[in-house]
Amino acid sequence: MLSLRNVQVGAFALFVSVGLLLIMGMWSSEPVAVSSDGTKPRVVVTTDGEVDDRSSFVRFLLYSSDFDVEGIIATNSVWQKDGHGTGWIMELLDAYRQVRPNLLQHHPDYPDADYLRRQVKLGNEDRTKMHTVGPKNDTPGSRHIIDVLLDDDPRPVWVQAWGGTNTIAQALWRLQQSYTPTQIQQAFAKIRIYAIAAQDSTIWWIRDEVPSVPLVLNGQFMAVNYQHEGHPYSDHAIFSEAWMREHVKEGHGPLGAAYPQAYFSEGDSPSFFHLIDTGLRSTEDLGYGGWGGRFRQVSPAYPNFWRDARDDGDRLKPLWRWLLEIQNDFAARADWSASARYDDANHHPVVQLNHAEDLAVQSGTTVHLDASGTTDPDGDALTYQWWIYKEAGSLTGDVVIAQADAPAATFVAPDVQTPQTIHAILTVHDDGGPSLYRYRRVVVTVTP
């Protein structure tokens, strides 16, 4: 399994400088985590302003405490050829401004609305330039992406394409054409692109012309887009108009009331689900899986291009398996926006492992999993479940966990002929309303 921690730089004939990444140590063989010191992920959003983008943006603002929002860029796509400008973004930021005092009672890091307004830029909304890059395609949005990539903050920047990728591609093209080898190295080493579908042709330009850049193409969003068909929760209450009225649109302040759709339909939200720090470690390796889906390498020819993986043979399951937890979380955030006191809403369990997240053992060893230090900030009762995320690991056989419903559990490392990995997931949820979930992932490497 190739991970972001072992990304190999692809051929990039135009620039020998990219090859220098390995020599200069700017493309590390160590884990490419969102941050190495507990700081938050950096995020740039590009959006075509379609109605489901606006719904996603309402939810995104409720999670803006969890990210460093570095850009909000209006663009176009094959579905919204002329885009929708930035006015709708500003309107939702005004609604956010009104609920932020309440949100701050529950999390101290909700950003100032004026700061977020300063991050709003206009990208490409010219339908004649939708599928191309070139000398006349620069926009304030593409220039802003370059500025973020070239700033002094060394953390990776997750650039999300909720619409087309042309503004992102233009930034990369301009870097190639007009910047120094050192600047190109810095920018290409920092950017990670997470695209919802191929909404213009420039995604293939990025794949082919900038192969060193990690690029995710998500088709699992179908589990939460307009029709949300083809999975066990398709007809669940979480997709109903009644659920949305009760938990978001009514009685949850002006931001909840601004949710534009009658029911849950947010094809673009998986791009930031991926970055929420749930404890699943999904940003460490795109093959690990988490709320934003799970992905695989497409071809050795494109070692940094990732598409949908399958769980139990189901392309949508890496996303739909988490949907109840995701919607409960959304309902809780909406409650925060309407609750001026911390005690009036529910908050997440704090899952604490009493050992490392990565373990190395030999076959036949009893592996001890222990999260007995886990707590809940509201004093709620907690439920524990340890389970094996089989598709995320390399072991093909089964593993039986003893006392899987307790904070401390065990399993016996199976006999292996070559080193194999096992992903043991702890799911913890409280009995608050709504019930909230957090996780920890223990990756166990078993050797003969």
Side-chain angles (χ1 to χ4, degrees), residues 340-378:
R341 296 174 62 251
Y342 184 89
D343 292 342
D344 291 340
N346 197 21
H347 307 89
H348 302 91
V350 179
V351 185
Q352 180 64 51
L353 289 177
N354 294 325
H355 50 75
E357 292 182 320
D358 297 290
L359 303 175
V361 301
Q362 289 185 308
S363 294
T365 302
T366 297
V367 179
H368 293 269
L369 305 169
D370 187 359
S372 57
T374 297
T375 59
D376 186 84
D378 307 304

Side-chain angles (χ1 to χ4, degrees), residues 76-87:
N76 60 5
S77 72
V78 293
W79 307 110
Q80 306 293 315
K81 294 182 175 61
D82 299 308
H84 290 278
T86 61

Side-chain angles (χ1 to χ4, degrees), residues 266-390:
E266 303 172 21
D268 302 295
S269 295
S271 62
F272 64 86
F273 290 166
H274 174 67
L275 299 179
I276 299 169
D277 185 12
T278 63
L280 287 168
R281 302 170 59 188
S282 55
T283 56
E284 290 185 29
D285 188 315
L286 292 164
Y288 277 10
W291 281 12
R294 195 172 68 82
F295 305 93
R296 61 179 179 84
Q297 275 183 283
V298 175
S299 164
Y302 301 106
N304 298 312
F305 183 44
W306 298 76
R307 301 194 73 167
D308 300 330
R310 294 174 182 266
D311 288 355
D312 292 332
D314 182 345
R315 180 173 65 93
L316 300 183
K317 187 173 181 178
L319 183 56
W320 68 248
R321 71 188 307 154
W322 314 103
L323 282 181
L324 295 185
E325 293 98 311
I326 287 170
Q327 284 299 85
N328 276 15
D329 214 86
F330 184 25
R333 297 280 178 142
D335 287 347
W336 292 4
S337 70
S339 303
R341 296 174 62 251
Y342 184 89
D343 292 342
D344 291 340
N346 197 21
H347 307 89
H348 302 91
V350 179
V351 185
Q352 180 64 51
L353 289 177
N354 294 325
H355 50 75
E357 292 182 320
D358 297 290
L359 303 175
V361 301
Q362 289 185 308
S363 294
T365 302
T366 297
V367 179
H368 293 269
L369 305 169
D370 187 359
S372 57
T374 297
T375 59
D376 186 84
D378 307 304
D380 295 330
L382 298 176
T383 298
Y384 299 80
Q385 186 64 51
W386 290 94
W387 55 283
I388 302 298
Y389 196 162
K390 191 169 182 178

Side-chain angles (χ1 to χ4, degrees), residues 12-28:
F12 184 25
L14 292 177
F15 287 96
V16 175
S17 59
V18 172
L20 294 175
L21 290 173
L22 292 174
I23 298 173
M24 298 177 65
M26 297 184 70
W27 193 275
S28 172

Side-chain angles (χ1 to χ4, degrees), residues 29 40 46 58 67 73 79 83 165 178 203 249 338 340 343 347 448:
S29 62
K40 294 179 293 186
T46 68
V58 169
F67 317 125
I73 301 172
W79 307 110
T165 49
S178 303
I203 193 169
K249 292 176 69 71
D343 292 342
H347 307 89

